[in-house]
Amino acid sequence: MLSANKHFKTLRWMLLAMAVGFLTPAVSFAAPADAVKKDVLEQGKKIYFKRCVWCHGVEGGGDGPAADRLFTRPRNFIQGTFKIRVTDSGELPLEEDLIKTVTNGLPGSAMPPWGNVLKKDEIVAVVNFVKTLVQDRSFDDSDEEVFTQDFGTNPWGTKGPYHLGIPQEAVDAGKEIFIKNKCFECHGGEGRGDGNPTMKDDWGFPIVAADWQQCWNFRGSRRNHYDPFNVVRTISTGLNGTPMPNFKDQITVEDRWKLAAFVNSLCPRKNIDPLANKPVNDFLISSEFTEGPVAKTIDDPMWTTPDADPKITGWRDSEEYAEEWGSIQRPRRNYIAMAGQITRGKRNFDPKVDNLWVTSRWSEEENAVYYLVEYHDRFLSEDPEWRDMVAIEWPAQLQDLFGAEKPYFIFGDSKKPVHIWRASFLAKNYRASAAPKPEGYELDMKVEELNGNGFDAVTVRDNTVVEVVDSKFIQGRVKVLFRRTLTTENADNLEVQIPKKQFIPVAFMQWSGRDHEKDEHMAISTWYYTILKPSIPTSIYYNAVIMGCAFAGFQGWLVWMTRRTRKMYDEGKVKRDELPV
Amino acid sequence: MNKTLLSLIVFVATLGVFHNVLFPIFTPKEAGWIMNRYSYYLIMVFAVIFLHLAMKLKPAMAFRATMVWALGFYFYKWILYPPIPWTLFITYMMLWSIGTFLYISQDPITFREFRAPIVKTIVGEYKAAQLIVFTLLPFLVGFGTYKALYPIFQEPVELRTVHPAPPATTKVHGKTYTLEGQTNPFRIDEQDNYKDSFPFLDADKQEYMKYVTEGGTVFFQNCHYCHGDQLNGLGMFSHVFNPTPANFVDPGTIAMLRESFLFWRVAKGGPGLPNESTPWSSAMPPWEEHLNTDEMWKVILFEYWYTGWHPRTFDTESASGGGE
């Protein structure tokens, strides 16, 4: 009964705390910085030199062995500049801020959540040791005041993990605030961080604005990616060391929540893997059967599905679409995670694109398949020498593969060749530093087909069968619509022939021209599967009716049998078992 | 009022109250002698029995059987912990259904009692019940057929061998290594007497820590992208790949392998794997292309130091005794 008591006790305390919270007006307060806890430094030092030193360096200068190969670079502690805080701009953080950062990690960077590995007292110890690495100021200095702001509370009372149900008016009002405060100058017109290509942090390293449509990469998301509080905190406190200022004087607390509602509404709701802090990969790209021809423009309703998982948001087709196509024939927009190619040659440790979204349809009438590949890239190349590229990779000789066998996932291998469809493009009249252009940019597109028999044996094919029927670069998002006939002449037996109703391995590659990526210096995915889904055969409807009727017949037989037995009892032909009724 | 209907109300209400109010209280984070899910279940069953006795309810046999069956379903679905896979659930429910049937057919009277409402429904003495059941069931069967026939496509399952048998020898940087008996040249302390030493801090003091530091440096410049800053296989690129990178903290990986096995895997990477380990989708690079032999051995030394595991070693006695 002990634990039951405990339960009620906690409940009582919670009620009391709530009552106090209602009675006292929320105020912000200033206090001296949290002094260093001297007694845990020895323990903290040991943890630091086992776990942290590799990135943050021996003296905390953010210059450990790993630092040069990371983007974003590890934090330099020396100046006491910490990004994620509840204190004012330029001030030292609370100890609690640092503890939360170490516990939850910084998603989208190499900083992992240490709460899984270290105990609470170990985290406190290492945080206190890190405080001693700050040289330019001191946590023990009584002049170092920290001012904790009042962030208000979530006005809509939404809950995690997805924080759905924020009213549309609040989101719309947030958009007004977004425009009024010119957030688009850095974050871009649709929040993909594509506003300003020239930003630097306090140490002169290049830095980019957050992509609001990938909120799982928000550094301060504290593993609660869709919580608007994270955004309110950042707007209120700014990010020390970066060009992100605070807006606490320009925007009222109520308005900050509305702005946060807008920012959060942009981020697609997907099932997030709690270990990786990224959306779960959609390992099967179903190509939806389409009656008649497939639309050849990206803006067609046939291709305009949301990124969010409809199961989470309850998204439905528009009525016009439902009328024309019915509701079952919507392809899923698949999330494909990408990594840098670090196996061979010039390796890519910091790819600028870490995911693609792929949607597919196929048409029996056209005997062709379409893949719409989309990805966020803040800035495209302006240099014809370094064109942006994205590619789909297939086993070239699908029919010869046995079981799970596939070619090597990057450029194939000597025995098993791959066939690559590559779109290589430059945006027309594009300047990365120009103001956001809502209608987007047309792309100067070149389609190539390649064959790979390993890294050193990649050749460009002469004849190109694959087409890119539509493409666009809109507000930091590239959209490329590939089309190819299912079968080709295939004279040299090195072109993939796409069968129906069969699982086909497929992989993706992407090169950012602005980052000077070319050849093996690229972003890659692993093998995925795609399948050309058949149309739903009408026979399943007949079969359902036939089974239903057959069962009804069986029921009739049962009634007839039971009645007959009854009658036989009544007429005395059969003797009922002699038990008292 | 009909005793069976009253019993139904009592049963549903009891389960509803217990499941929504008492169940969360009885499943705290730290389960105790009384505060656990099984005692909650027992209390619930006793509550149902007690209410029936107190209210002098004697529902029809068919309903009693349904109650018994439903309590079993509830137990396997929500109480039994950890949750069981659905195949096992079906097996358990089959056994439970047989048990319920035994309860029904314990003697001919109870069996007839159980049968009575069913027969009455079939012959039409319960008109409404007959109408509802006989119209609904064919539709359900039709819908079930539709559901079963509707094609659903799921990613095919691929099996792979995680730790394949290593080759007898491997050639790295022009030198052939016999994996059997091969040890890490930088493991100068077999007794693991370095737990209180730290990279960079003590690197100059002990030779061993110098090697660990160098190995860690290589690890954090090359390996942590996949195997993670915590060596738990959750690096920045890890979620991209299928199979996911190895978790060295897990006792099933480096803790049960020899250092020579790791040397072979590090040197040859994914492309060096045999077919049963699906080399085509392993993202592990053949590190002999980027690292020299010493660096590879030092990385291996670092991995054991960081995770605290000790590599599986050769039994010197049997090895010198000429094999098995």
Side-chain angles (χ1 to χ4, degrees), chain A residues 281-564:
Chain A
N281 290 332
D282 298 319
F283 272 113
L284 179 62
I285 303 163
S286 289
S287 185
E288 205 64 48
F289 173 85
T290 309
E291 247 171 88
V294 174
K296 289 191 174 59
T297 49
I298 290 165
D299 296 332
D300 191 277
M302 216 183 249
W303 293 109
T304 49
T305 39
D307 289 342
D309 188 341
K311 276 190 205 133
I312 294 169
T313 56
W315 178 88
R316 279 168 192 282
D317 290 310
S318 67
E319 270 175 31
E320 302 92 68
Y321 180 90
E323 225 166 76
E324 192 164 356
W325 299 104
S327 56
I328 39 172
Q329 286 162 320
R330 265 296 190 191
R332 178 172 70 174
R333 197 162 285 222
N334 301 280
Y335 178 89
I336 314 287
M338 304 286 284
Q341 189 285 117
I342 59 169
T343 299
R344 187 66 86 77
K346 188 163 194 281
R347 297 185 283 165
N348 190 4
F349 290 101
D350 54 349
K352 294 293 171 284
V353 170
D354 76 349
N355 59 61
L356 308 178
W357 296 82
V358 179
T359 322
S360 179
R361 284 179 174 276
W362 72 283
S363 161
E364 187 128 56
E365 191 183 300
E366 288 182 76
N367 192 37
V369 65
Y370 290 73
Y371 285 89
L372 174 63
V373 180
E374 299 167 78
Y375 62 93
H376 296 192
D377 199 353
R378 290 179 174 84
F379 311 106
L380 293 190
S381 167
E382 297 164 42
D383 183 354
E385 274 292 296
W386 299 96
R387 294 168 77 92
D388 278 277
M389 294 184 281
V390 64
I392 310 181
E393 184 186 55
W394 307 83
Q397 289 157 359
L398 200 58
Q399 63 284 359
D400 297 345
L401 299 180
F402 177 75
E405 206 179 33
K406 299 179 192 78
Y408 186 56
F409 77 115
I410 320 171
F411 290 135
D413 52 61
S414 59
K415 292 197 187 93
K416 296 184 283 287
V418 292
H419 181 201
I420 296 167
W421 310 346
R422 186 163 76 178
S424 136
F425 52 90
L426 274 179
K428 289 177 188 163
N429 308 318
Y430 169 74
R431 263 183 33 253
S433 50
K437 193 176 159 193
E439 67 276 20
Y441 296 89
E442 296 295 321
L443 301 179
D444 167 27
M445 181 65 63
K446 193 170 96 192
V447 190
E448 296 163 304
E449 286 184 49
L450 296 86
N451 278 125
N453 260 112
F455 279 90
D456 312 319
V458 181
T459 50
V460 180
R461 295 181 63 82
D462 297 331
N463 62 326
T464 313
V465 185
V466 177
E467 307 162 73
V468 167
V469 290
D470 195 12
S471 61
K472 209 143 212 189
F473 179 61
I474 309 171
Q475 310 258 39
R477 182 164 211 178
V478 175
K479 299 184 178 191
V480 180
L481 182 54
F482 288 91
R483 174 189 191 272
R484 211 201 70 164
T485 48
L486 300 183
T487 47
T488 60
E489 277 181 29
N490 198 19
D492 56 0
N493 198 23
L494 282 171
E495 290 175 287
V496 62
Q497 305 299 303
I498 299 171
K500 293 162 201 168
K501 299 188 222 173
Q502 194 182 315
F503 291 102
I504 313 164
V506 62
F508 300 88
M509 299 170 159
Q510 183 274 335
W511 294 260
S512 297
R514 202 178 183 82
D515 200 28
H516 283 196
E517 294 176 7
K518 207 172 229 180
D519 301 328
E520 79 282 353
H521 188 221
M522 61 178 172
I524 49 165
S525 81
T526 186
W527 282 120
Y528 282 64
Y529 275 108
T530 189
I531 185 168
L532 271 50
K533 269 167 72 172
S535 63
I536 303 303
T538 38
S539 65
I540 74 167
Y541 303 108
Y542 302 144
N543 283 333
V545 173
I546 291 169
M547 283 300 284
C549 292
F551 193 81
F554 165 74
Q555 284 179 341
W557 173 81
L558 193 69
V559 171
W560 179 76
M561 283 288 285
T562 318
R563 286 224 173 111
R564 194 187 64 154

Side-chain angles (χ1 to χ4, degrees), chain A residues 222-335:
Chain A
R222 307 292 196 220
R223 286 194 281 182
N224 194 356
H225 326 272
Y226 297 106
D227 189 348
F229 172 76
N230 301 320
V231 184
V232 172
R233 187 197 52 230
T234 306
I235 303 168
S236 311
T237 65
L239 293 177
N240 284 357
T242 77
M244 173 75 189
N246 74 60
F247 288 86
K248 69 178 167 113
D249 298 327
Q250 292 93 314
I251 309 176
T252 63
V253 174
E254 291 75 41
D255 281 0
R256 278 178 242 164
W257 278 97
K258 287 178 193 157
L259 179 50
F262 167 66
V263 170
N264 251 298
S265 72
L266 297 173
C267 188
R269 266 55 176 176
K270 286 283 283 180
N271 185 10
I272 305 272
D273 178 352
L275 290 175
N277 266 313
K278 304 270 181 182
V280 176
N281 290 332
D282 298 319
F283 272 113
L284 179 62
I285 303 163
S286 289
S287 185
E288 205 64 48
F289 173 85
T290 309
E291 247 171 88
V294 174
K296 289 191 174 59
T297 49
I298 290 165
D299 296 332
D300 191 277
M302 216 183 249
W303 293 109
T304 49
T305 39
D307 289 342
D309 188 341
K311 276 190 205 133
I312 294 169
T313 56
W315 178 88
R316 279 168 192 282
D317 290 310
S318 67
E319 270 175 31
E320 302 92 68
Y321 180 90
E323 225 166 76
E324 192 164 356
W325 299 104
S327 56
I328 39 172
Q329 286 162 320
R330 265 296 190 191
R332 178 172 70 174
R333 197 162 285 222
N334 301 280
Y335 178 89

Side-chain angles (χ1 to χ4, degrees), chain A residues 69 281 343-344 529 566, chain B residues 125 158 221 225 289-290:
Chain A
R69 285 182 174 178
N281 290 332
T343 299
R344 187 66 86 77
Y529 275 108
R566 272 281 169 99
Chain B
E125 271 174 49
E158 284 173 7
Q221 284 171 349
Y225 296 92
E289 292 177 16
H290 300 287

